[in-house]
Amino acid sequence: MPDLLKKMFEAQRQHPAAALANAFDIIKANFITILILIFVGTGGKQGDYTLYWIFGTFVALLIWGVISWLRFQFSVNEGELKIEQGVFVHKKLYLTSDRIQVIDITAGVIQRIFGLVAVEIKTAGSSSKEAKINAISRQEAEKLKKLLRKGGEQETEEISEKANKIYALDNRDLVIAATTSGRMGVALSIVGAVFSQLDQVISDQEIIRFIETHLPNFTSFSIVVISIVGMILAAWVLSFLSTIITYYDFKVEIREDDLLISRGLFERKQLTIPFNRIQAVQIKEEILRQPLGYASLVIESAGYGEDQGNSNTLFPLISKERMHAFIDEVIPEYHVKVDHTVSIGKRGLRRYILQMVWLSLGIIAVVWSMVPYGVYAWFILPFMLLLGYQQYRDAEVKSGEDTIIMSSRLLSKTTAIIKKYRIQAIEVKQNPFQSRLDLADLIIHVASGNQGRTFKVRELVDEQATAYKDWLANSKRKRQLEADIDQDQSSESIE
């Protein structure tokens, strides 16, 4: 038996770098709080004391990390991962391979300095458990992953996991992806929060004095416009850098049963997604990418995911010309021939436009009453009406042999490709206003993360929405019947 495999069956500690990684994990989890403390607390006479507190806390975290490392041990035996940990309370965690859903290998800044990786393990179900081994060699991590994937079989031979094909995002496409990223909304909220705290470091008198000295010819209106443009520019820069850091060196490897996705500049993540866990595929066309003919592909998977529930980016930027060939090569099950298409009728157009009118009036009322020169908010009305019309044009439902394809737009256009046998629930919703026009919404739920994922197309003709619901429901009933028959036959053979 190879030494490395034998070592896995014995209780062992992580690399000592885990002590440092533990401390940085705590800092990372509380980064926003620490940033606010530094930002707010370093002003005034108490600033020096705040810095002492921060330095003392950092030293305490390092000591805590060392003790945690000493108390942490792990081993694998007959497909069961055993972890012993705890500084004050000694805890033992057992994770069996049949319950384990996610095994991700990542490499943060600390791990990469020492040539190590971290292994994150998650189980399925409402009583899901998580475990993280913070610092082991990549060879040990791969061996641990294979042992837990194989279940109780502790074979000594190596398993061949050669990639059949690798797709990579080149630097040119990475820059385009960052330039047209849809993360502006999140970035704007962060920039807005930072701007709202400016008065903690710069007083109103200092701001007025700066404007009178450096911008004497500027009017109040021009200053408001410059402030808005400055916030948008800062948000774009933040969004650009965030995308570069997230998708740097992005690669997708096709293996026999899995997709292996790796990415990241500072923290290198490696996600393994089995094909049989994919629940749906989304084609996302961001508003800045659509005129350039680009889109991104996102996978919804059950039990395998990262930050946003269980949505994983399959490819962050791909031209629409190349997309169907890519889907055919990587996930051929989702490359389907469309047999039937239903678009939104003229009755639905009125509701799409009216919804934008009511939404616009609400925004205009708030901005007009709270922001200087808010009366100019009326300029958003034509854009919102145009958006409503585009939402109407993009909304449609298509179907193939065993697949439904739903397209809709909020700001960006999303096309969801869903296999019938992956659907968890189907709804046809109708409010009193829709009932008068014989319209309804078609809503489909698939398993993804704890909450699942929902796709909706609004304002279909009621009869068409019901026909799709019946078509999908009959398929579910047929599968249930087949499953019941298989179960009965299995019971009879046991008797």
Side-chain angles (χ1 to χ4, degrees):
M1 181 179 292
D3 292 341
L4 180 58
L5 185 62
K6 187 178 178 181
K7 187 180 172 185
M8 282 290 169
F9 304 148
E10 300 169 353
Q12 59 175 303
R13 287 202 173 92
Q14 307 168 82
H15 188 280
L20 200 56
N22 289 340
F24 272 89
D25 274 354
I26 297 173
I27 292 172
K28 185 179 170 185
N30 299 281
F31 182 72
I32 299 297
T33 307
I34 294 170
L35 203 63
I36 292 172
L37 279 174
I38 294 174
F39 197 65
V40 176
T42 50
K45 297 178 180 177
Q46 303 301 319
D48 292 341
Y49 294 106
T50 305
L51 288 176
Y52 292 146
W53 272 105
I54 292 170
F55 179 75
T57 304
F58 182 71
V59 173
L61 286 175
L62 284 178
I63 296 171
W64 180 273
V66 171
I67 299 173
S68 299
W69 170 73
L70 287 170
R71 301 276 287 173
F72 189 104
Q73 287 189 319
F74 71 96
S75 62
V76 182
N77 192 20
E78 296 182 351
E80 182 180 73
L81 174 66
K82 177 184 176 184
I83 292 178
E84 298 179 59
Q85 61 184 331
V87 175
F88 296 116
V89 179
H90 193 61
K91 294 182 289 186
K92 294 181 181 178
L93 178 64
Y94 298 89
L95 301 177
T96 54
S97 59
D98 58 334
R99 292 262 297 140
I100 290 173
Q101 291 286 337
V102 179
I103 303 175
D104 288 338
I105 297 176
T106 61
V109 176
I110 301 298
Q111 286 88 357
R112 294 177 79 173
I113 289 173
F114 292 92
L116 304 168
V117 297
V119 181
E120 295 179 56
I121 300 157
K122 298 173 187 173
T123 62
S126 56
S127 59
S128 62
K129 299 286 185 185
E130 295 185 14
K132 185 175 182 181
I133 300 171
N134 244 331
I136 58 176
S137 70
R138 178 166 288 279
Q139 194 182 9
E140 288 176 313
E142 293 291 348
K143 177 56 68 180
L144 178 65
K145 187 176 175 181
K146 288 172 188 172
L147 284 173
L148 294 175
R149 281 273 179 258
K150 286 194 301 180
E153 302 171 16
Q154 294 176 345
E155 301 171 8
T156 56
E157 68 271 19
E158 294 291 329
I159 294 177
S160 174
E161 286 194 359
K162 291 180 181 176
N164 294 322
K165 198 162 186 180
I166 299 176
Y167 297 86
L169 185 72
D170 61 35
N171 290 336
R172 172 182 165 277
D173 284 350
L174 177 61
V175 171
I176 294 174
T179 307
T180 57
S181 172
R183 300 182 174 200
M184 278 286 290
V186 178
L188 265 175
S189 63
I190 294 172
V191 172
V194 171
F195 267 68
S196 69
Q197 296 297 318
L198 274 182
D199 59 348
Q200 297 290 333
V201 290
I202 305 174
S203 66
D204 294 342
Q205 290 76 14
E206 288 174 315
I207 293 173
I208 293 171
R209 198 179 306 127
F210 177 85
I211 293 172
E212 290 175 345
T213 306
H214 296 86
L215 307 170
N217 298 322
F218 278 53
T219 63
S220 301
F221 176 73
S222 57
I223 290 172
V224 169
V225 171
I226 289 172
S227 300
I228 293 172
V229 172
M231 286 180 64
I232 293 173
L233 187 61
W236 180 84
V237 170
L238 192 61
S239 168
F240 181 89
L241 294 176
S242 167
T243 305
I244 293 283
I245 291 169
T246 302
Y247 294 117
Y248 180 79
D249 196 18
F250 185 96
K251 287 178 185 170
V252 179
E253 300 179 22
I254 305 173
R255 298 193 170 180
E256 189 176 349
D257 298 318
D258 307 317
L259 285 173
L260 198 68
I261 300 173
S262 50
R263 61 173 176 77
L265 179 59
F266 299 120
E267 184 178 31
R268 190 81 186 148
K269 282 199 170 187
Q270 187 185 79
L271 308 172
T272 305
I273 303 174
F275 287 109
N276 61 8
R277 290 284 180 174
I278 296 175
Q279 306 295 304
V281 175
Q282 294 186 65
I283 301 169
K284 292 199 168 183
E285 299 174 62
E286 304 289 352
I287 199 161
L288 294 177
R289 291 177 184 170
Q290 200 168 359
L292 302 175
Y294 285 105
S296 59
L297 285 169
V298 174
I299 287 177
E300 300 296 335
S301 60
Y304 288 77
E306 43 181 338
D307 304 329
Q308 302 170 20
N310 285 81
S311 295
N312 301 281
T313 300
L314 175 60
F315 213 80
L317 188 83
I318 188 167
S319 69
K320 291 179 73 176
E321 293 175 354
R322 192 183 151 214
M323 182 179 302
H324 293 294
F326 179 85
I327 292 175
D328 192 31
E329 292 171 13
V330 179
I331 40 175
E333 192 182 6
Y334 288 86
H335 187 233
V336 296
K337 180 184 175 185
V338 174
D339 298 328
H340 189 246
T341 301
V342 171
S343 301
I344 306 300
K346 295 294 181 186
R347 282 175 286 171
L349 171 62
R350 189 169 68 180
R351 284 191 48 79
Y352 273 93
I353 296 294
L354 276 176
Q355 285 177 11
M356 285 296 111
V357 170
W358 293 123
L359 181 61
S360 301
L361 291 178
I363 294 172
I364 291 167
V366 172
V367 175
W368 196 352
S369 62
M370 298 182 66
V371 178
Y373 303 100
V375 65
Y376 293 102
W378 281 100
F379 283 117
I380 71 169
L381 183 58
F383 295 103
M384 295 293 277
L385 293 178
L386 189 62
L387 177 62
Y389 180 69
Q390 195 60 45
Q391 288 179 342
Y392 153 75
R393 289 195 58 184
D394 289 331
E396 63 181 5
V397 181
K398 298 178 183 175
S399 55
E401 183 183 1
D402 61 347
T403 307
I404 184 166
I405 302 168
M406 303 174 72
S407 298
S408 61
R409 176 187 291 276
L410 188 57
L411 192 59
S412 304
K413 182 180 176 183
T414 299
T415 301
I417 308 170
I418 311 158
K419 308 304 286 187
K420 286 201 293 186
Y421 58 85
R422 295 295 188 190
I423 293 172
Q424 298 290 311
I426 312 144
E427 287 182 73
V428 172
K429 260 189 179 177
Q430 190 178 51
N431 61 40
F433 301 104
Q434 290 174 310
S435 180
R436 288 177 51 243
L437 299 171
D438 290 329
L439 299 176
D441 300 339
L442 178 64
I443 304 168
I444 287 179
H445 305 271
V446 299
S448 180
N450 294 328
Q451 304 298 323
R453 188 70 60 193
T454 299
F455 303 105
K456 178 166 78 171
V457 174
R458 297 188 286 123
E459 318 304 345
L460 284 167
V461 173
D462 183 17
E463 188 179 341
Q464 293 169 335
T466 304
Y468 266 116
K469 185 201 73 173
D470 293 341
W471 177 61
L472 297 168
N474 286 338
S475 174
K476 283 174 69 71
R477 278 197 288 271
K478 183 181 176 186
R479 286 201 318 279
Q480 184 60 48
L481 184 60
E482 290 172 351
D484 291 343
I485 292 171
D486 290 343
Q487 191 173 5
D488 290 344
Q489 289 175 343
S490 175
S491 301
E492 287 172 5
S493 63
I494 291 171
E495 289 170 359

